[in-house]
Amino acid sequence: MPLDVVVGLQRGDEGKGRFVDLIAKDYSVIARGNGGSNAGHTVVPDTMEPLALHQVPSGITNPGKLNIIGNGVYVDPRRLVKEIEEVKATGLEVSKNNLLISASSHLVLPHHIGFDALRENGLKAQGSTKSGISYVASDKYLREGVRFELLATPKILYERAYDGLLRLNEVLAKEEKQSPDEIKATVEDWLKSVEALQIHMADTVEIINERLSEGQKILAEGAQGFWLDINHGMYPLVTSSSTTVAGLLDGLGVSAKHLNKVTGVAKSVKSHVGHGPFITEIKDSALAANVRGAFGLTDSEFGKTTERPRRIGYPDLVELRNAIRINGIDELALSKLDHVPRYGKEIKVATSYTYKGSERLTSPTSALALESCEANYLTMDTWDKDISVLTKYSELPKEATKFVDLFVEQLGVPIIKIGVGPGRRQVIEKPLG
Ligand code: GDP
Ligand code: IMO
Ligand code: MG
């Protein structure tokens, strides 16, 4: 069966992009099926500066591969055009030969972003990335959304974007309101971006399924993480996509019967960029700052889309168990093992919760219930050695292998790859057993 999947098991930013960039060479197609420009996947291919991808699949760094943006992705045309230019500026090819966008994907309109920012700046803030995701999603489910295929009738597209901005204007503060000329200019700019993407428009469901029937290997790249899922995450402090394997397959239009292997990505350093319950959060701001590191595209805990500092906590195996169960994870890729010593000489790892006086190994699925859980920890020794230069599992200090073994024992799933730095080669293959 030719379909493999990579999904995030925590709260996003686990390192999905870097593992997809590494294994993309083994696939014919790399496809995104959920999320949108709220995602930020940093890849550091050989001999390249770090590259933050948002809507373009992380297979783009591997020449000769077909990258697909599926029907479940919320496409922001203006940001995508800019992103394509940024990728091209690195010398990589982005053309209709290696990037296709589903004609059925829903477009983010300028007012979606405006309404999202307005809510985020007010009392109902959720910590969103202000990418317009909640508003494009609500239009989709109201069945009033604008799909990419509507480009066949640009006049309708123009009117929908124009009307949206008029509605936004009604609720904007006086000094923020746009004049009719400004609205016209914003809509024209947006429409120009949609038109620029036309060469990439395709029936991606047909294409993926054709390739599957030919036995070609497909890699589905998840966005966000399990706990941001609209059905299973910390509702309402989630995103507006289904971020599970099931949601990803649905967002690509492929049947689960093609599924071969599901890799879950988890990071050793626990962090979260938005609002929401965070049971193992570290309250000691100096320790949190040390684990977070200094601002940068790699090596630090800052959101890649918003540049916000991520909240820091201790690793939490309890929430991983829920994600493993519902996604049917076959194997784990563990990132950021190199950052574990940032916690100090010891690190606490949450292995169970106490909820209403009872110990439990999985987390309650309600955000409200989560608020009243307490974590129970095991304490592990860390290490001094710089492991970011190592290439073999046997070279890791024994404290590092004990840390990895704890995950395997507690979670019952093999760890097959371990990130020891952000670079493509900074991954150690862990022998099974
Ligand atoms: P994604 O959204 O899951 O693709 O993850 P992001 O790219 O948003 O965030 C992961 C961050 O950690 C990026 O800055 C990566 O360059 C970096 N990273 C990934 N794996 C490792 C690792 O093993 N070690 C270190 N030091 N950094 C890593
Ligand atoms: P990747 O694919 C981390 C979070 C936001 C916020 C919530 C809702 O890079 O892992 P939204 O803009 O979707 O309405 O925000 O979801 N969020 C992410 N956090 N990584 C992401 O994507 C995220 N995408 C959304 O921070 O808490
Ligand atoms: Mg990210």
Side-chain angles (χ1 to χ4, degrees):
M1 288 183 291
L3 174 67
D4 291 342
V5 177
V6 171
V7 284
L9 302 184
Q10 292 153 326
R11 299 166 180 220
D13 301 336
E14 296 90 351
K16 299 173 289 294
R18 71 85 47 101
F19 286 114
V20 169
D21 161 69
L22 175 69
I23 61 175
K25 61 179 184 346
D26 301 328
Y27 296 85
S28 139
V29 177
I30 296 86
R32 283 270 310 268
N34 59 3
S37 74
N38 51 351
H41 298 179
T42 310
V43 295
V44 191
D46 303 335
T47 69
M48 262 186 73
E49 291 297 309
L51 177 65
L53 297 165
H54 297 277
Q55 300 180 74
V56 174
S58 302
I60 204 75
T61 50
N62 284 253
K65 306 296 176 184
L66 175 60
N67 293 273
I68 284 183
I69 297 179
N71 46 291
V73 176
Y74 300 118
V75 174
D76 183 327
R78 289 180 298 178
R79 291 191 186 173
L80 183 52
V81 166
K82 193 164 161 268
E83 184 177 338
I84 289 173
E85 288 313 316
E86 282 165 9
V87 176
K88 279 183 173 171
T90 68
L92 289 167
E93 178 194 353
V94 186
S95 70
K96 63 179 180 2
N97 299 325
N98 71 343
L99 178 68
L100 296 179
I101 305 168
S102 169
S104 308
S105 57
H106 280 251
L107 298 182
V108 175
L109 277 68
H111 71 278
H112 291 144
I113 296 177
F115 277 112
D116 193 358
L118 203 61
R119 182 174 71 166
E120 210 40 54
N121 296 335
L123 292 176
K124 291 185 175 169
Q126 298 206 342
S128 95
T129 60
K130 301 184 189 172
S131 307
I133 298 297
S134 41
Y135 288 85
V136 64
S138 80
D139 272 357
K140 172 174 173 174
Y141 286 96
L142 278 170
R143 305 190 299 275
E144 292 177 4
V146 172
R147 304 221 287 193
F148 191 17
E149 64 195 355
L150 270 187
L151 184 54
T153 49
K155 191 168 167 289
I156 296 181
L157 274 193
Y158 188 98
E159 283 167 7
R160 296 292 290 275
Y162 196 90
D163 288 351
L165 283 175
L166 283 185
R167 269 184 283 125
L168 176 65
N169 238 14
E170 284 168 19
V171 293
L172 283 177
K174 204 169 163 203
E175 61 280 6
E176 285 171 357
K177 287 191 198 298
Q178 285 192 307
S179 68
D181 277 351
E182 283 168 332
I183 291 184
K184 200 164 157 263
T186 306
V187 174
E188 280 169 4
D189 179 53
W190 175 82
L191 194 53
K192 224 167 64 193
S193 297
V194 186
E195 282 163 352
L197 295 174
Q198 188 167 19
I199 53 162
H200 301 281
M201 190 194 287
D203 181 345
T204 58
V205 173
E206 185 67 21
I207 292 167
I208 295 192
N209 280 289
E210 261 172 25
R211 298 243 181 166
L212 281 168
S213 65
E214 288 163 6
Q216 295 193 32
K217 287 186 76 184
I218 313 286
L219 179 60
E221 174 181 7
Q224 286 85 48
F226 177 79
W227 287 95
L228 295 172
D229 181 83
I230 187 76
N231 297 308
H232 301 288
M234 307 165 288
Y235 191 89
L237 300 166
V238 293
T239 186
S240 304
S241 295
S242 174
T243 65
T244 58
V245 173
L248 180 50
L249 299 193
D250 194 38
L252 290 173
V254 295
S255 158
K257 79 174 183 204
H258 298 294
L259 204 51
N260 172 47
K261 188 173 66 182
V262 182
T263 305
V265 185
K267 65 180 168 186
S268 323
V269 172
K270 167 87 198 220
S271 74
H272 179 53
V273 75
H275 301 340
F278 192 165
I279 295 161
T280 66
E281 185 161 19
I282 294 175
K283 304 290 179 214
D284 174 344
S285 54
L287 176 57
N290 198 46
V291 177
R292 186 179 300 116
F295 177 77
L297 204 50
T298 59
D299 267 339
S300 63
E301 293 295 330
F302 285 83
K304 293 299 164 292
T305 303
T306 55
E307 302 189 351
R308 289 175 291 176
R310 296 184 186 134
R311 295 156 67 196
I312 305 292
Y314 291 109
D316 184 343
L317 302 180
V318 185
E319 64 167 28
L320 281 175
R321 289 194 190 99
N322 294 53
I324 288 169
R325 179 164 66 183
I326 290 183
N327 282 310
I329 298 298
D330 294 305
E331 57 182 34
L332 293 173
L334 187 67
S335 62
K336 298 207 165 178
L337 189 64
D338 53 314
H339 282 181
V340 169
R342 290 182 174 186
Y343 284 86
K345 293 223 164 301
E346 291 181 335
I347 181 167
K348 294 199 299 180
V349 180
T351 52
S352 67
Y353 290 167
T354 299
Y355 176 57
K356 291 190 173 165
S358 308
E359 191 184 10
R360 48 184 297 162
L361 294 177
T362 52
S363 164
T365 45
S366 132
L368 283 176
L370 256 171
E371 297 276 12
S372 37
C373 288
E374 265 181 49
N376 304 308
Y377 293 98
L378 276 181
T379 301
M380 309 285 291
D381 290 331
T382 65
W383 52 93
D384 293 327
K385 188 172 172 179
D386 173 14
I387 64 167
S388 66
V389 291
L390 304 182
T391 54
K392 291 197 189 78
Y393 190 69
S394 57
E395 294 168 346
L396 286 173
K398 73 172 186 322
E399 293 84 359
T401 57
K402 273 192 174 168
F403 181 84
V404 174
D405 285 345
L406 178 72
F407 275 60
V408 176
E409 282 160 25
Q410 291 270 333
L411 301 173
V413 180
I415 290 182
I416 43 97
K417 288 189 168 54
I418 299 169
V420 292
R424 187 187 271 174
R425 306 277 152 204
Q426 288 176 296
V427 170
I428 291 180
E429 304 278 342
K430 181 180 182 300
L432 283 176

